[in-house]
Amino acid sequence: LANTSGVMTGRFRQREFGAGASYAFGPATVGVAWTQSRVDNLAGAAAGQRQGRSNNYEVNGRYAVTPALGLGIAYTFTDARGYGVNAAGNDMKTRYHQIGLQADYALSRRTDLYAEAVYQHAMGDGGVASIYSG
């Protein structure tokens, strides 16, 4: 279905899949994760281009410096396809490299403070970083 502005309307569906594993040894923990997001009937996409798929591959680690202070790092690679049409009329292909650092300090059993920094580099048809915009 399309409204008068050509924007796709009707049923929108998003599905998420994922798997991960981690291993702890002493004060350190390392982990890996894979997630996939699939979107059908994407609003605003051209006819025949209404499906999108993003795969995220992550490697992460955490180290407990003290019982109250933990430091973490994560690297995520995202490979997204089909969330629009590029200049050649094909499915858009966008890739993101993202690195995150975090420090977490427990003030009590119920209260903690944390600081986090994230850097993202966008490549491909999207070309714009998308850390917090969905």
Side-chain angles (χ1 to χ4, degrees):
L1 298 172
N3 63 21
T4 56
S5 65
V7 174
M8 298 306 298
T9 59
R11 296 189 186 272
F12 170 83
R13 179 174 72 165
Q14 180 171 346
R15 296 173 288 166
E16 305 284 337
F17 307 93
S22 65
Y23 180 75
F25 50 98
T29 303
V30 294
V32 296
W34 164 78
T35 59
Q36 184 180 85
S37 174
R38 295 181 185 180
V39 177
D40 298 319
N41 297 323
L42 187 61
Q49 306 286 330
R50 297 184 314 221
Q51 297 179 352
R53 179 177 292 182
S54 294
N55 284 296
N56 297 293
Y57 308 93
E58 181 177 304
V59 177
N60 57 63
R62 186 178 190 312
Y63 185 78
V65 179
T66 69
L69 176 63
L71 302 176
I73 186 169
Y75 167 75
T76 306
F77 174 71
T78 301
D79 182 19
R81 297 172 185 265
Y83 289 95
V85 180
N86 64 19
N90 300 317
D91 282 351
M92 288 181 69
K93 296 176 184 160
T94 306
R95 292 177 177 78
Y96 301 108
H97 293 277
Q98 181 171 299
I99 298 172
L101 301 171
Q102 185 180 60
D104 190 336
Y105 186 77
L107 298 172
S108 69
R109 285 179 42 195
R110 296 183 185 177
T111 307
D112 70 328
L113 298 173
Y114 69 91
E116 184 172 9
V118 177
Y119 170 79
Q120 186 179 80
H121 177 72
M123 302 178 315
D125 294 321
V128 177
S130 179
I131 296 173
Y132 298 112
S133 63

